[in-house]
Amino acid sequence: MSGIVVQNIERAAPEVIDGLAACGVATVHEAQGRIGLLAAYMRPIYSGARVAGSAVTISAPPGDNWMVHVAIEQLKDGDILLLAPTSPCEDGYFGDLLATSAQARGCKGLIIDAGVRDVRDLKEMDFPVWSKRVFAQGTIKASLGSVNVDVICAGALIRAGDVIVADDDGVCVVRRADAASVLEKALAREAAEEGKRRRLAAGELGLDIYRMREKLAAMGLVYE
Amino acid sequence: MSGIVVQNIERAAPEVIDGLAACGVATVHEAQGRIGLLAAYMRPIYSGARVAGSAVTISAPPGDNWMVHVAIEQLKDGDILLLAPTSPCEDGYFGDLLATSAQARGCKGLIIDAGVRDVRDLKEMDFPVWSKRVFAQGTIKASLGSVNVDVICAGALIRAGDVIVADDDGVCVVRRADAASVLEKALAREAAEEGKRRRLAAGELGLDIYRMREKLAAMGLVYE
Amino acid sequence: MSGIVVQNIERAAPEVIDGLAACGVATVHEAQGRIGLLAAYMRPIYSGARVAGSAVTISAPPGDNWMVHVAIEQLKDGDILLLAPTSPCEDGYFGDLLATSAQARGCKGLIIDAGVRDVRDLKEMDFPVWSKRVFAQGTIKASLGSVNVDVICAGALIRAGDVIVADDDGVCVVRRADAASVLEKALAREAAEEGKRRRLAAGELGLDIYRMREKLAAMGLVYE
Amino acid sequence: MSGIVVQNIERAAPEVIDGLAACGVATVHEAQGRIGLLAAYMRPIYSGARVAGSAVTISAPPGDNWMVHVAIEQLKDGDILLLAPTSPCEDGYFGDLLATSAQARGCKGLIIDAGVRDVRDLKEMDFPVWSKRVFAQGTIKASLGSVNVDVICAGALIRAGDVIVADDDGVCVVRRADAASVLEKALAREAAEEGKRRRLAAGELGLDIYRMREKLAAMGLVYE
Amino acid sequence: MSGIVVQNIERAAPEVIDGLAACGVATVHEAQGRIGLLAAYMRPIYSGARVAGSAVTISAPPGDNWMVHVAIEQLKDGDILLLAPTSPCEDGYFGDLLATSAQARGCKGLIIDAGVRDVRDLKEMDFPVWSKRVFAQGTIKASLGSVNVDVICAGALIRAGDVIVADDDGVCVVRRADAASVLEKALAREAAEEGKRRRLAAGELGLDIYRMREKLAAMGLVYE
Amino acid sequence: MSGIVVQNIERAAPEVIDGLAACGVATVHEAQGRIGLLAAYMRPIYSGARVAGSAVTISAPPGDNWMVHVAIEQLKDGDILLLAPTSPCEDGYFGDLLATSAQARGCKGLIIDAGVRDVRDLKEMDFPVWSKRVFAQGTIKASLGSVNVDVICAGALIRAGDVIVADDDGVCVVRRADAASVLEKALAREAAEEGKRRRLAAGELGLDIYRMREKLAAMGLVYE
């Protein structure tokens, strides 16, 4: 079932993608009903990046990064590469040369359930990566994988063209077809939070703002 | 045994707490006889913070952050929130809204044996957190826990009002009643180290400063 | 077999060592045939450092840092301390005082398959450390170990005088006798990469630069 | 998106399921192209069990086992319960009472990406479980999840009615629609292996049986 | 604060201890309000053992088992040794000789948040151990620790004389003063479960026995 | 540096090897000065096996088991296969067919710092394996490795022909040249332990047998 490159994938609208990036991972995750997070071990190689893009997915054999070259040809401006190995692997599939190539094609970043290297160069290039590991271990180019097929990456199902949102909190996936409605909910959530933030900053308590006292008392909370 | 909020806790003197913060985790840990460290997996979400404060403790069900709201009401200026789940959990109990509320009540930071989110916002707010994980996973508000009861957090017993010291080296707890004497010992240790630091910086060897050569030879150390 | 200090070790030429530092871990690892990496859990305590030096090795009992003092006397300008415990340990063997002493003797950094502390001070001193853990837990001075004997550190065999290269990607060891030839290959690799980087940055694809298309087709890659 | 129970799921033919059980995990995994394995951390609570059945899937909140009761009603003879928490959790969702109930409905076993308890009783009942953890930690019944929806369990996508094969090697999933053809390939593989096993047992070498010597020599293997 | 041996500790009544052993870890944990479990990584070295006894606690330096000898003198018939290292350690503190000595003093088993060795011999002797690791790594006898002081073992606070219950599900601690009342609740729980077990075994559903259907419907559970 | 098969390796005398097997891992480890243990994560796939043999070493690429076939030809009666991957890998390199072949050549078992599968069959064949993981994940045969070269396996340096001792406590390596003297020391240790065991079993205390009381008192141990 490997050895397939799906060439024409659908993508969400750029303004929706940009809107999701601005909302960030935590808000998007909440807005779509607390689903879509990748495992907590997926960490950014440097802090401060916040991106969203359409997933170009790579299913790769362990220790073999050949398919990354194949995937880069499929990139369109604003896409995000996402790689899942077919068995657990920490090798460094990706470094500064591949980042140079991907960035030249408009790629905004990489999500990889494996290792990455040349992280100092990647930071200088402003090419963010969320990975399981930083590891210089080299890979080979011997076996086929697939591009733009469904993959399980860090415990989440990703389909080519899904919107990936990533920031310092981790990585979240939004189904392409849901992107616009999730953005709408995320923006509503942000608006609602803004008022609460001001009240909380002024010293009001969540206990009062959210009217929790009665319910807590009813459940038996005792103040000593 | 949950569902209890202890309201009036005793705290150490502010100048003692500030003194312990200035000494830092490693020195305080040594000064009190090499005890009190929380597990090494408790890491700061950004580097450079160094704080101390009185613990307002939270015992919370897994994936349920309701008690954080209850605890925030108990905060006094200079306190530190400390949360331990009742079974292992990595969910993101705490984010920027709760931090806004806690900071408004004078809270200096959070120690949490679970997950935290909105870490970019927390850094911008200068609200430091030491956590087991960064994870955007949301939590619910359905079950009671307790506030200001004894908890085991990251392998250490914490009592409400204990002094928590945290910096880039991790987190250390000092019993409230011991805080003044531990500070005294920590300051003495710092003074003693200062002289050694100068001699070491000048190229003298610890082997000579600490008169180790004879003992090493007696134990059989052989130079080849 | 412990209790030995080997005093006169051979070192690689300084210009070779400096050359390897400039190439960095990933390039050096590739240049010598994809060997020599220490385990991926060895991480720098702060980002941005890139060093190389001759290994002064320490085999130390768990939780006992006495041999570090012994090793510091053996340091020459440009060396790197490398410590491996004789059984798994996360304690903080090394802090700012030892760093002051080591730095005064010309030491460029520390590689330790255990814990380190005082990391804020170490960063201010510009003394880089790659470690398994940051942990303030103190150690004792009760048992002998050895200095400049062969050790296994984070899964790699290190001999005293081997060249250690370390940067944000991790740590790599180069046998002393191989250092010059590895540097030669690393430089050749860098030169070759430079041309490719320019072509990739201009939008050319690796598929074309490396002539991969025919081979991929022959192996059965299908474009849908 | 939670709070749904899908009642009528399709299942593979019983004789196909039984055939897959007899082949075992490793053979089934190979026969379907080396896909479908759950993560290696899924281990049996006792050795020697080998089962296959149709998955009745449960998506459950962390630390909340209410949906297991809902799922048991959906069981048909020969089914296997499979539970995935919505965020990482090690609590003991399942024990002897639930096993008694599930077994009474014909359930052959449980796959759970979380904890299980009462393992001595489960062994006596001959009710096999493959889990992430053995942990006595109790759970609550407060929030809804779903039954017979798609879940990601230990890194694999499972659809209700998929065939689950489990033995001492771990757990593998076979899509319901592929079950018959996978069984056919698995049986063919077993037949082919039988002849090889006899030759290998007689001392013939794989190097000769699989005619590897020429290829290895061509690739440069050197005998010293 | 180390170097202390508390000699006269109070113990729970033998019949209470035996009653708790018969109930087992999961039931005792539930009966006392879902508290008292040690971390899930504490596993038995062989399956099938179920014991309870009064804790004789050991606080030991990492890699130093001297205090085990001191603790053995403090054992009374039916006690359980419980060792917590002062910093994380996996060394094999305990083997067949120490087990012979402990067993001769009436000790029923060992709980150790570190390593154990000679596990084949221990099984033959019927001396059960729950440990973090099996590891042959030897220890030394150089530093003092304490006996019968409070320790944190695998995340739980243990006081000398507390009742330890251990079986295939893990390890649970019951405060000495609570032992009798916890036993009472545990027996009540067992009696209540017996009736439910029979009904479940006969095919009745938990949904009906516990009258869950209305509540689930009210919360919005939908059957499709 | 891969692609090498060393054909003629030296081995220790069979009676020495058998003697070491009878002593077991813990005793051999102590007898040679507490060195030589492989990491604690190396666990037997079934309990009760105790073997020793000469190491035929395999350095294999991640996820590629081709070299196992090459190594099997190099086996002599009583040897033990030992595989180390060149980067971390959990795939199942070895199953019942390879075990059949190895056993036919006189192989006593396998030590593998990766995964193994068909564990039920291996147990039935009485072919013991110590591995990092049980995992059914299949491997390929595409790249060269080496046989009978030095490898680092689970943190220990292994040379072809070294004696491997393995039992329920884990795995230990003894240098071939040291095997006879280590056996002598191990037997002496066993003889010395036998007398102590009888005294301890009779209720004498280690405190008295080893005359520890004075030293403990001198160090300041206080009985309360």
Side-chain angles (χ1 to χ4, degrees):
Chain A
M1 273 163 66
S2 65
I4 295 165
V5 183
V6 177
Q7 289 183 281
N8 297 309
I9 62 170
E10 292 188 81
R11 290 165 173 85
E15 63 275 14
V16 170
I17 294 173
D18 291 348
L20 290 168
C23 291
V25 167
T27 297
V28 168
H29 159 71
E30 288 284 347
Q32 70 178 343
R34 294 186 183 161
I35 59 169
L37 288 180
L38 276 65
Y41 63 71
M42 296 296 286
R43 299 300 303 144
I45 58 170
Y46 56 87
S47 64
R50 175 172 283 191
V51 300
S54 302
V56 168
T57 65
I58 306 170
S59 172
D64 191 313
N65 74 347
W66 209 3
M67 285 303 112
V68 181
H69 287 280
V70 175
I72 286 173
E73 189 178 26
Q74 305 303 320
L75 287 167
K76 295 201 173 165
D77 196 51
D79 284 351
I80 287 183
L81 280 173
L82 182 144
L83 186 149
T86 54
S87 74
C89 183
E90 306 184 357
D91 293 352
Y93 283 76
F94 193 93
D96 69 329
L97 281 185
L98 285 168
T100 299
S101 181
Q103 202 172 47
R105 310 288 288 195
C107 183
K108 284 184 184 169
L110 168 72
I111 313 295
I112 180 166
D113 192 4
V116 64
R117 62 185 190 178
D118 299 326
V119 297
R120 190 162 81 159
D121 298 325
L122 297 176
K123 186 177 180 183
E124 282 172 11
M125 293 170 62
D126 194 21
F127 188 90
V129 177
W130 286 256
S131 71
K132 183 180 182 180
R133 208 75 74 205
V134 173
F135 197 26
Q137 178 69 44
T139 52
I140 61 175
K141 295 176 197 357
S143 301
L144 297 185
S146 290
V147 172
N148 282 334
V149 296
D150 292 0
V151 295
I152 308 282
C153 182
L157 174 67
I158 317 286
R159 299 198 169 106
D162 281 348
V163 183
I164 302 296
V165 187
D167 62 20
D168 288 347
D169 285 348
V171 185
C172 187
V173 60
V174 180
R175 297 281 165 253
R176 187 186 55 76
D178 301 337
S181 72
V182 169
L183 174 59
E184 199 172 338
K185 289 176 197 156
L187 292 172
R189 188 177 171 86
E190 282 201 333
E193 284 192 349
E194 197 41 44
K196 288 171 197 158
R197 185 175 291 106
R198 275 195 302 271
R199 294 174 67 183
L200 293 167
E204 267 192 273
L205 288 167
L207 290 176
D208 297 313
I209 296 175
Y210 305 110
R211 299 174 185 273
M212 293 170 171
R213 293 188 192 275
E214 298 78 5
K215 192 167 176 197
L216 287 165
M219 289 185 70
L221 190 67
V222 176
Y223 284 80
E224 294 190 346
Chain B
M1 273 163 66
S2 65
I4 296 165
V5 183
V6 177
Q7 290 185 281
N8 296 309
I9 62 171
E10 293 188 81
R11 291 166 171 83
E15 62 276 14
V16 169
I17 294 173
D18 291 348
L20 290 168
C23 291
V25 167
T27 297
V28 168
H29 158 71
E30 289 284 346
Q32 70 177 343
R34 293 185 184 161
I35 60 169
L37 288 179
L38 276 66
Y41 63 72
M42 296 295 286
R43 299 299 304 144
I45 59 170
Y46 56 87
S47 64
R50 174 172 283 192
V51 301
S54 302
V56 168
T57 65
I58 305 169
S59 172
D64 190 313
N65 74 347
W66 209 3
M67 285 302 112
V68 181
H69 287 279
V70 175
I72 286 173
E73 189 179 24
Q74 304 304 320
L75 287 168
K76 294 201 173 165
D77 195 51
D79 284 351
I80 288 183
L81 280 173
L82 183 144
L83 186 149
T86 55
S87 74
C89 182
E90 308 185 356
D91 293 351
Y93 282 76
F94 194 93
D96 70 328
L97 280 185
L98 285 168
T100 298
S101 181
Q103 203 172 47
R105 312 287 288 193
C107 183
K108 286 184 182 168
L110 169 71
I111 313 295
I112 180 165
D113 192 3
V116 64
R117 61 185 190 178
D118 299 327
V119 299
R120 191 161 81 159
D121 298 324
L122 297 177
K123 186 177 179 182
E124 282 172 11
M125 293 170 62
D126 194 22
F127 188 89
V129 177
W130 286 257
S131 71
K132 183 180 182 180
R133 208 75 73 206
V134 173
F135 196 26
Q137 177 70 43
T139 52
I140 60 175
K141 296 177 200 350
S143 301
L144 297 185
S146 290
V147 172
N148 283 334
V149 296
D150 292 0
V151 295
I152 307 282
C153 182
L157 173 67
I158 316 287
R159 298 197 169 107
D162 281 347
V163 182
I164 303 296
V165 187
D167 62 19
D168 289 347
D169 286 348
V171 185
C172 188
V173 60
V174 180
R175 296 281 165 253
R176 187 185 54 78
D178 301 336
S181 72
V182 169
L183 174 58
E184 201 174 334
K185 288 177 198 156
L187 292 173
R189 188 177 171 88
E190 281 201 335
E193 284 192 348
E194 196 42 43
K196 286 171 198 158
R197 185 175 290 107
R198 276 196 300 271
R199 293 174 67 182
L200 293 167
E204 267 193 273
L205 288 168
L207 290 175
D208 298 312
I209 296 175
Y210 306 110
R211 297 175 186 272
M212 292 170 171
R213 292 188 192 276
E214 298 77 5
K215 192 167 176 198
L216 287 165
M219 288 186 71
L221 189 67
V222 176
Y223 284 81
E224 295 190 346
Chain C
M1 272 164 65
S2 64
I4 295 166
V5 183
V6 177
Q7 289 184 282
N8 296 308
I9 63 170
E10 293 189 80
R11 290 164 172 84
E15 63 275 14
V16 170
I17 293 174
D18 291 348
L20 290 168
C23 291
V25 166
T27 298
V28 167
H29 159 70
E30 289 284 346
Q32 69 177 345
R34 292 183 184 165
I35 59 169
L37 288 179
L38 276 66
Y41 63 71
M42 296 296 285
R43 298 300 304 146
I45 58 170
Y46 55 87
S47 64
R50 173 172 285 190
V51 300
S54 302
V56 168
T57 65
I58 305 170
S59 172
D64 190 314
N65 74 348
W66 209 4
M67 285 302 112
V68 181
H69 287 279
V70 175
I72 285 174
E73 189 178 28
Q74 305 303 319
L75 287 168
K76 294 201 175 166
D77 196 51
D79 284 351
I80 287 183
L81 280 173
L82 182 143
L83 186 150
T86 54
S87 75
C89 183
E90 307 184 356
D91 293 351
Y93 284 75
F94 193 95
D96 70 330
L97 280 185
L98 286 168
T100 299
S101 181
Q103 203 173 48
R105 311 288 289 193
C107 183
K108 284 184 184 169
L110 168 71
I111 313 295
I112 180 166
D113 191 4
V116 64
R117 61 184 190 178
D118 299 327
V119 298
R120 191 162 80 160
D121 298 323
L122 297 177
K123 186 177 179 182
E124 282 173 11
M125 294 170 62
D126 195 20
F127 188 89
V129 178
W130 286 256
S131 72
K132 182 181 182 179
R133 208 75 73 204
V134 173
F135 196 27
Q137 177 69 44
T139 53
I140 60 173
K141 295 177 199 351
S143 302
L144 297 185
S146 290
V147 172
N148 282 334
V149 296
D150 292 1
V151 295
I152 307 283
C153 182
L157 174 68
I158 317 286
R159 297 197 170 106
D162 281 349
V163 182
I164 302 298
V165 187
D167 62 19
D168 288 348
D169 285 348
V171 185
C172 188
V173 60
V174 180
R175 296 281 164 253
R176 186 186 55 78
D178 301 338
S181 72
V182 169
L183 173 59
E184 201 172 337
K185 288 177 197 154
L187 292 173
R189 188 176 171 87
E190 281 200 336
E193 284 191 349
E194 196 41 45
K196 286 171 198 159
R197 185 174 291 107
R198 275 196 301 271
R199 294 174 66 182
L200 293 167
E204 266 192 271
L205 289 167
L207 290 175
D208 297 312
I209 295 175
Y210 306 111
R211 298 175 184 275
M212 291 171 172
R213 292 187 192 277
E214 298 77 4
K215 192 165 177 198
L216 287 165
M219 288 186 71
L221 189 67
V222 176
Y223 284 81
E224 292 190 350
Chain D
M1 274 164 67
S2 64
I4 296 166
V5 183
V6 178
Q7 290 185 281
N8 296 308
I9 63 170
E10 293 188 82
R11 291 165 172 85
E15 62 275 15
V16 169
I17 294 173
D18 292 348
L20 290 168
C23 290
V25 168
T27 296
V28 167
H29 159 70
E30 289 284 347
Q32 71 178 343
R34 292 183 184 165
I35 60 168
L37 287 180
L38 277 66
Y41 64 71
M42 297 294 286
R43 300 299 303 145
I45 57 170
Y46 56 86
S47 65
R50 175 172 282 192
V51 300
S54 302
V56 168
T57 65
I58 306 168
S59 172
D64 191 314
N65 75 348
W66 209 4
M67 284 303 113
V68 181
H69 287 281
V70 175
I72 286 173
E73 188 178 29
Q74 304 304 319
L75 287 167
K76 295 201 173 166
D77 195 51
D79 284 351
I80 287 182
L81 280 173
L82 182 143
L83 186 149
T86 54
S87 74
C89 184
E90 307 185 356
D91 293 351
Y93 284 76
F94 194 93
D96 69 328
L97 281 185
L98 285 168
T100 299
S101 181
Q103 203 173 48
R105 310 290 287 196
C107 183
K108 284 183 181 169
L110 168 72
I111 313 295
I112 180 164
D113 192 3
V116 64
R117 63 186 188 176
D118 299 327
V119 298
R120 189 162 82 161
D121 297 325
L122 297 177
K123 186 176 180 184
E124 281 173 10
M125 292 169 64
D126 195 20
F127 188 89
V129 177
W130 286 257
S131 71
K132 183 180 183 181
R133 209 75 72 205
V134 173
F135 196 26
Q137 177 69 45
T139 52
I140 59 174
K141 294 178 200 351
S143 301
L144 297 185
S146 289
V147 172
N148 283 333
V149 297
D150 291 0
V151 295
I152 308 283
C153 182
L157 173 67
I158 316 286
R159 297 196 170 106
D162 281 348
V163 182
I164 303 296
V165 187
D167 61 20
D168 288 347
D169 286 347
V171 184
C172 189
V173 60
V174 179
R175 297 280 166 255
R176 187 186 55 78
D178 301 337
S181 72
V182 169
L183 174 59
E184 201 173 337
K185 287 177 197 154
L187 292 173
R189 187 176 171 88
E190 282 202 332
E193 283 191 350
E194 195 43 42
K196 286 172 198 158
R197 185 175 291 107
R198 275 196 301 271
R199 293 174 66 182
L200 293 167
E204 269 193 272
L205 289 167
L207 291 175
D208 297 312
I209 295 175
Y210 305 110
R211 297 174 184 275
M212 292 171 171
R213 294 187 191 276
E214 298 76 5
K215 192 167 176 198
L216 287 165
M219 289 186 70
L221 189 67
V222 176
Y223 284 81
E224 293 189 348
Chain E
M1 274 163 67
S2 63
I4 295 166
V5 183
V6 177
Q7 288 184 282
N8 295 309
I9 62 170
E10 292 189 81
R11 291 166 171 85
E15 62 275 15
V16 169
I17 294 173
D18 292 348
L20 290 167
C23 291
V25 167
T27 297
V28 168
H29 159 71
E30 289 284 346
Q32 70 178 343
R34 291 184 185 164
I35 59 168
L37 287 180
L38 277 65
Y41 63 70
M42 296 295 287
R43 299 300 304 145
I45 58 170
Y46 56 87
S47 64
R50 173 171 282 191
V51 300
S54 302
V56 168
T57 65
I58 306 169
S59 172
D64 191 313
N65 74 347
W66 209 4
M67 284 302 113
V68 181
H69 287 280
V70 175
I72 285 173
E73 189 179 26
Q74 305 303 320
L75 287 167
K76 294 200 174 167
D77 195 51
D79 284 351
I80 288 182
L81 280 172
L82 182 144
L83 187 149
T86 54
S87 75
C89 183
E90 306 185 356
D91 294 351
Y93 284 76
F94 194 94
D96 69 328
L97 281 185
L98 285 168
T100 299
S101 181
Q103 203 173 47
R105 311 288 288 196
C107 183
K108 283 184 182 169
L110 168 72
I111 313 296
I112 179 164
D113 192 3
V116 64
R117 62 185 189 179
D118 299 328
V119 299
R120 190 162 80 161
D121 297 326
L122 297 176
K123 186 176 179 183
E124 281 172 10
M125 292 170 63
D126 194 20
F127 188 89
V129 178
W130 286 257
S131 71
K132 184 181 182 179
R133 209 74 72 204
V134 172
F135 196 26
Q137 178 68 44
T139 52
I140 60 174
K141 293 176 199 356
S143 301
L144 297 186
S146 290
V147 172
N148 282 334
V149 296
D150 291 1
V151 296
I152 307 283
C153 182
L157 173 67
I158 316 286
R159 297 197 170 107
D162 281 349
V163 183
I164 303 296
V165 187
D167 62 19
D168 288 348
D169 285 347
V171 185
C172 189
V173 61
V174 180
R175 298 282 165 252
R176 185 185 57 75
D178 300 337
S181 73
V182 169
L183 174 58
E184 201 173 337
K185 288 177 199 156
L187 292 173
R189 188 177 170 87
E190 281 201 333
E193 284 192 347
E194 196 44 42
K196 287 171 198 160
R197 185 175 291 108
R198 275 196 302 271
R199 292 173 68 182
L200 293 167
E204 267 192 271
L205 288 167
L207 290 176
D208 297 312
I209 295 175
Y210 306 110
R211 298 175 185 275
M212 293 171 171
R213 294 187 191 276
E214 297 76 6
K215 192 167 177 198
L216 287 165
M219 290 185 69
L221 189 67
V222 176
Y223 285 82
E224 292 190 347
Chain F
M1 274 163 66
S2 65
I4 295 166
V5 183
V6 177
Q7 289 185 281
N8 296 309
I9 62 170
E10 292 189 81
R11 289 164 173 87
E15 63 274 15
V16 169
I17 295 173
D18 291 348
L20 290 167
C23 291
V25 166
T27 297
V28 167
H29 159 69
E30 288 284 347
Q32 70 178 344
R34 292 186 184 161
I35 60 168
L37 287 181
L38 277 66
Y41 63 71
M42 297 293 287
R43 299 300 303 144
I45 58 170
Y46 56 87
S47 64
R50 174 172 282 191
V51 300
S54 303
V56 168
T57 66
I58 305 169
S59 172
D64 191 314
N65 74 347
W66 209 4
M67 284 302 113
V68 181
H69 286 281
V70 174
I72 286 173
E73 189 179 27
Q74 305 303 319
L75 287 168
K76 293 200 175 169
D77 196 51
D79 284 351
I80 286 181
L81 281 172
L82 182 143
L83 186 150
T86 55
S87 74
C89 183
E90 307 185 356
D91 293 350
Y93 283 76
F94 194 93
D96 70 327
L97 280 185
L98 285 168
T100 299
S101 182
Q103 202 173 49
R105 310 290 287 195
C107 183
K108 284 183 183 169
L110 169 72
I111 313 295
I112 180 164
D113 192 3
V116 64
R117 62 186 190 178
D118 298 329
V119 298
R120 190 162 82 162
D121 298 324
L122 297 177
K123 186 177 179 183
E124 281 173 10
M125 292 170 63
D126 194 21
F127 188 89
V129 177
W130 286 257
S131 71
K132 183 180 183 180
R133 209 74 72 206
V134 173
F135 196 25
Q137 177 69 44
T139 54
I140 61 174
K141 295 176 199 353
S143 302
L144 297 186
S146 289
V147 172
N148 283 334
V149 296
D150 291 0
V151 295
I152 307 282
C153 181
L157 174 68
I158 316 285
R159 296 196 171 107
D162 280 349
V163 183
I164 303 297
V165 187
D167 62 20
D168 288 347
D169 286 346
V171 185
C172 188
V173 60
V174 180
R175 297 281 166 253
R176 187 186 55 75
D178 301 336
S181 72
V182 169
L183 174 58
E184 202 173 336
K185 288 175 197 156
L187 292 173
R189 189 178 170 86
E190 283 201 332
E193 284 192 348
E194 196 42 42
K196 286 170 198 159
R197 185 176 290 106
R198 274 195 302 271
R199 294 174 66 182
L200 293 167
E204 269 192 90
L205 288 168
L207 289 176
D208 298 312
I209 295 175
Y210 305 110
R211 298 174 184 274
M212 293 171 171
R213 293 189 192 274
E214 297 78 5
K215 193 167 175 198
L216 286 165
M219 289 185 70
L221 189 66
V222 176
Y223 284 81
E224 294 189 347

